[in-house]
Amino acid sequence: MQKSHPVFSPLIQGYWRMAEWGMTTQQQHTFLKQHVEMGITTVDHAPVYGPDSACERMFGEVLALDSRMRDQIEIVSKCGIYRGEGKTVNHYNSSKAAIIASVDESLSRINTDHLDVLLLHRPDLLMDADDAAEAFAELSAAGKVKHFGVSNFTPTQFELLQSRLDQPLVTNQVEINPVNLQVTEDGTLDQLQRMRVSPMAWSCLAGGRIFTENSEQMTRLRETLAQVMEEIGASSIDQVIFAWVMRLPAKPVPIIGSGNIERVHAAAGALDLSLTHEQWYRIWVASKGHGVA
Ligand code: NAP
C-alpha cells in the first residue's frame, strides 16, 4: 500500500511489549509486513521498551533482515527517561546533550539513519525549552529526525516548547481509554483539537485490564461494550473501544499494543465503525458509574 499520510498512519503499532511476544526475527518480519499490507505503517518505539532497550534492538534486526522495509514505514521513537542500573534515582532529562545522545543510540539500535518522529517521552521539570529546541534544530539539520512531538505533556508544557520551535509539534502521545478519562477533562484534547494536532492514544485497552479485571467499573464497561458491539455490528469489544477512542473530535490515532495479528485485524476494522453520541456516552456512563448532570 502507498503511503498517503504525511507523518503517521491512521493506526500505529506499539512495540513496548515486543520482547514478550516470543517471536523469532523472521516472525517479527512477517508480523511487520502484515501491518504494512493493512496500511498500519507507523511503529512506536522508545529506548526504555524491553530490558536494556531490547525492543529497538530487536526491531533493528528485522530491518537488517529486509532493508527495503525501512522505506515503507514511519518510525517513532522517544527520549528522556533514565532508569535502571547505574542510576541513583529514576529521572527525566530533556537537555540538548541528552536528546542528541539518545537519538544517536536509537538510530544505531534500530539500524536506520533517521527517525520519522521523535517524542520527548515525559515532561522533564528541568527542561529548558530553548535548549531542547536547539537539539531539535541540530537533529533536523543533520537529517536524523524528520518531525518532533511530545508525550504525556500538559497543554502549558506543550505550548512552552512549541513557542521555541520553527516547526509544529506533530503530536502529544497520551493515554486515552474508557477507564482513564483524564485527557478528555483536563484540557489536553481541547488544546490539540484547537491546534488540529492529532494525539497518539496509548493503552486504548487499558493494557488489557478491561478484559481481565473484575472490578465493578470493568464489569459495567464490558457489559455496555458488548451491547454496543451488537448494535453497530462490531466483531469484538476491542473494536468498540478503538471506535470510542477515534470518535473523540481531537481525532486520536490509536496505538495498538497487541502481538496477536487477529487482534490487529480487528483494530483495523474499527476504522469503518462509528458510534452515535448516545452510544459513546453510554460507555462514558459505564466508566463513571453515574450519568451526566
Ligand atoms: P493496550 O492495547 O491497552 O494493551 C495491550 C495488551 O492488552 C496486550 O498485552 C494484549 O495482549 C492485551 N489484550 C488485547 N486485547 C485483549 C483481549 N481481547 N483480551 C485480553 N487481553 C487483550 O496497549 P498497550 O500495550 O498498553 O500500549 C500500546 C502502545 O502504546 C505501546 O506498545 C507503546 O508503544 C505505547 N505506550 C506509550 C506510553 C507513553 O508513555 N508514551 C505508555 C504506554 C504505552 P495480546 O498481545 O495477547 O493481544
Side-chain angles (χ1 to χ4, degrees):
M1 187 177 285
Q2 284 291 312
K3 284 195 210 171
S4 57
H5 41 85
V7 181
F8 40 87
S9 53
L11 293 171
I12 295 170
Q13 175 58 272
Y15 281 84
W16 172 28
R17 301 175 193 271
M18 184 185 197
E20 299 161 26
W21 292 341
M23 294 182 195
T24 62
T25 307
Q26 189 61 55
Q27 287 167 332
Q28 287 156 0
H29 175 252
T30 303
F31 188 68
L32 177 60
K33 247 177 91 180
Q34 287 167 321
H35 283 74
V36 172
E37 282 159 13
M38 276 186 263
I40 304 175
T41 53
T42 305
V43 300
D44 184 63
H45 277 280
V48 289
Y49 291 172
D52 197 20
S53 306
C55 300
E56 284 190 338
R57 218 179 294 282
M58 290 162 86
F59 197 83
E61 286 163 18
V62 175
L63 294 187
L65 196 70
D66 178 3
S67 57
R68 286 165 309 169
M69 194 55 94
R70 178 63 189 94
D71 293 335
Q72 298 174 51
I73 60 173
E74 302 82 31
I75 300 177
V76 179
S77 194
K78 316 190 186 78
C79 63
I81 299 183
Y82 293 85
R83 64 185 180 210
E85 261 178 56
K87 313 282 177 303
T88 55
V89 68
N90 294 346
H91 61 281
Y92 305 140
N93 186 344
S94 294
S95 65
K96 177 181 173 183
I99 293 171
I100 290 176
S102 179
V103 168
D104 283 336
E105 287 164 16
S106 287
L107 294 179
S108 154
R109 282 190 291 265
I110 299 175
N111 267 322
T112 184
D113 61 358
H114 72 279
L115 298 176
D116 294 277
V117 184
L118 174 73
L119 308 181
L120 300 186
H121 203 153
R122 294 261 168 194
D124 168 15
L125 302 177
L126 300 179
M127 181 185 78
D128 175 330
D130 287 315
D131 194 43
E134 274 184 34
F136 287 8
E138 253 181 51
L139 289 166
S140 183
K144 292 180 179 178
V145 177
K146 305 284 180 210
H147 304 277
F148 298 89
V150 294
S151 181
N152 306 302
F153 269 41
T154 64
T156 50
Q157 289 163 341
F158 188 100
E159 272 179 26
L160 165 63
L161 183 58
Q162 184 62 79
S163 73
R164 301 298 203 274
L165 301 175
D166 295 333
Q167 51 177 312
L169 291 167
V170 296
T171 196
N172 187 3
Q173 185 179 115
V174 290
E175 180 176 6
I176 311 179
N177 57 56
V179 182
N180 181 351
L181 300 163
Q182 185 185 331
V183 293
T184 65
E185 295 166 352
D186 68 4
T188 301
L189 295 190
D190 300 336
Q191 179 205 40
L192 295 171
Q193 183 181 177
R194 176 170 62 74
M195 301 182 78
R196 300 189 196 283
V197 171
S198 286
M200 293 180 186
W202 60 261
S203 291
C204 295
L205 308 177
R209 282 166 51 222
I210 290 183
F211 307 99
T212 53
E213 205 175 286
N214 283 322
S215 61
E216 281 182 23
Q217 182 193 29
M218 299 300 179
T219 307
R220 273 197 315 266
L221 267 172
R222 277 195 294 275
E223 283 170 10
T224 306
L225 288 163
Q227 286 164 8
V228 174
M229 176 183 85
E230 294 292 328
E231 290 166 18
I232 64 174
S235 65
S236 63
I237 67 172
D238 321 20
Q239 261 194 350
V240 180
I241 299 169
F242 285 116
W244 184 91
V245 169
M246 288 189 282
R247 184 68 178 75
L248 287 158
K251 299 188 172 54
V253 175
I255 312 175
I256 304 163
S258 178
N260 175 333
I261 198 66
E262 295 311 320
R263 288 187 180 147
V264 177
H265 273 288
L271 289 166
D272 299 322
L273 298 174
S274 134
L275 302 186
T276 63
H277 269 72
E278 216 171 315
Q279 286 164 333
W280 192 92
Y281 272 101
R282 272 177 29 222
I283 294 166
W284 184 92
V285 169
S287 172
K288 290 279 185 182
H290 61 75
V292 296

